[in-house]
Amino acid sequence: REQLTKESGSAGVGGVGKLAGQKWKAMSDAAKKPYETKGKDLSKLYAQKMADFVAAGGVTGKRHAEKAEPKQANSGEKAEEPKRPQNPYWLWLSENREQLTKESGSAGVGAVGKLAGQKWKAMSDVAKKPYETKGKDLSKLYAQKMADFVAAGGVTGKRHAEKAEAKQANSGTKKAKKEARAASGQPKKPPTGFWLYLCENREAFEKEAGSKKPPVISGIAGKKWKSMSDAHKKPFEDQAAKAKAEYQTAMEEWKNNRGGEGDDKDEDEEEDGEEEQ
């Protein structure tokens, strides 16, 4: 740190952190190895200490909560409603997300979630126990925090209601924009080659996935599209290029008829939320 501080010319966390990140990325695997080995050893030691702590009746997360409470009290701000903790399955998924993403071949929520669900069901009770134990501890802590929140005059469900209202308002804005574009006669953006491929094979993807959910179908289609040869992609890309040329011509005519007003920068439709992975 001392050397990094000298080089960055600042003791600020931002300046030092940025320089450290650049240097770490540029380091060879051999140079990183001693630190990665030490990191793994410390993680194992931490996991063992945590297991002993929980076995002795300790509640995980309590110290962090106790440190946060005085800070919040000193800030003079009203306490926020505690967030509901993750269940055992989500604790396990969060811990193994990187590996699950690699195995599924997609970072899509649907693909990762499906693989995670399969692996979790196949896990033994012994393998699940650490996550179930942690889940119970977090639930107890959450219940205590909720009791304190209510005792302090907090209203349960308020944050959820505010998020729902904001989501509904955003949905209404998107719908209004979409209706306004349709009423103006603005041409709709053309599909991409990937989208044309997905639509043509949607039924087969749904059978393979055992689901009709857009994220799941998109994940499978994206994986297959990436592995396709340029020759197999060409018919779809040629069709997309033709549609794009027609769209650009139609857009020019539409703009000219409106005296040059408007453009297509607001068109952000995602076609049911599916996109190339």
Side-chain angles (χ1 to χ4, degrees):
R1 179 179 292 273
E2 186 177 347
Q3 181 59 34
L4 290 168
T5 300
K6 288 180 180 178
E7 287 186 41
S8 67
S10 169
V13 175
V16 174
K18 183 178 180 180
L19 178 61
Q22 293 170 344
K23 285 183 173 289
W24 178 259
K25 285 182 179 179
M27 282 172 64
S28 66
D29 292 340
K32 289 180 181 178
K33 189 168 176 56
Y35 303 102
E36 292 175 336
T37 300
K38 186 175 181 180
K40 287 180 181 178
D41 291 341
L42 290 173
S43 293
K44 288 179 182 178
L45 182 61
Y46 169 75
Q48 183 58 56
K49 287 185 176 181
M50 279 299 292
D52 295 341
F53 172 71
V54 172
V59 179
T60 60
K62 187 176 179 181
R63 183 174 60 185
H64 177 74
E66 289 173 345
K67 287 177 69 177
E69 284 169 4
K71 184 177 179 181
Q72 190 174 47
N74 293 333
S75 68
E77 296 178 1
K78 190 173 181 179
E80 289 187 3
E81 181 178 349
K83 291 183 180 180
R84 188 177 295 277
Q86 292 181 323
N87 61 32
Y89 164 72
W90 276 103
L91 290 170
W92 171 80
L93 190 155
S94 298
E95 186 177 296
N96 295 277
R97 182 178 293 278
E98 187 177 348
Q99 181 59 36
L100 290 166
T101 299
K102 288 180 181 178
E103 287 186 40
S104 67
S106 169
V109 176
V112 174
K114 183 179 178 181
L115 178 61
Q118 293 170 344
K119 285 183 172 288
W120 178 257
K121 284 182 181 179
M123 281 172 65
S124 66
D125 292 340
V126 175
K128 289 180 180 178
K129 188 168 177 56
Y131 303 100
E132 291 174 339
T133 299
K134 186 175 182 180
K136 287 179 182 178
D137 290 340
L138 290 174
S139 292
K140 288 178 183 178
L141 184 61
Y142 168 74
Q144 183 57 55
K145 285 184 176 181
M146 279 299 291
D148 294 341
F149 172 72
V150 172
V155 179
T156 60
K158 185 178 179 181
R159 184 173 59 191
H160 177 74
E162 289 174 346
K163 286 178 70 176
E165 287 174 6
K167 185 176 181 181
Q168 189 172 29
N170 186 45
S171 176
T173 301
K174 284 186 176 181
K175 185 179 179 182
K177 284 184 178 181
K178 191 173 182 179
E179 290 175 348
R181 283 197 296 269
S184 71
Q186 179 179 348
K188 188 177 181 181
K189 279 190 174 181
T192 63
F194 166 73
W195 179 251
L196 291 169
Y197 162 74
L198 188 154
C199 291
E200 185 175 299
N201 297 278
R202 182 185 293 276
E203 189 175 344
F205 294 150
E206 289 175 354
K207 287 181 180 179
E208 184 178 338
S211 170
K212 292 187 177 182
K213 292 183 179 180
V216 178
I217 302 305
S218 181
I220 291 176
K223 190 175 180 180
K224 290 180 179 290
W225 177 260
K226 284 183 179 179
S227 65
M228 280 172 64
S229 66
D230 292 340
H232 282 110
K233 288 181 181 179
K234 194 174 188 307
F236 302 104
E237 292 179 335
D238 287 347
Q239 190 178 343
K242 182 180 178 182
K244 184 177 181 180
E246 292 172 350
Y247 164 75
Q248 290 172 337
T249 300
M251 273 299 295
E252 286 302 318
E253 292 177 359
W254 179 76
K255 288 180 183 178
N256 290 334
N257 291 335
R258 289 168 58 87
E261 294 179 13
D263 55 40
D264 63 339
K265 66 181 179 182
D266 289 329
E267 187 148 4
D268 53 6
E269 298 168 20
E270 291 288 346
E271 298 288 355
D272 296 324
E274 296 171 334
E275 56 185 13
E276 183 176 347
Q277 299 297 306

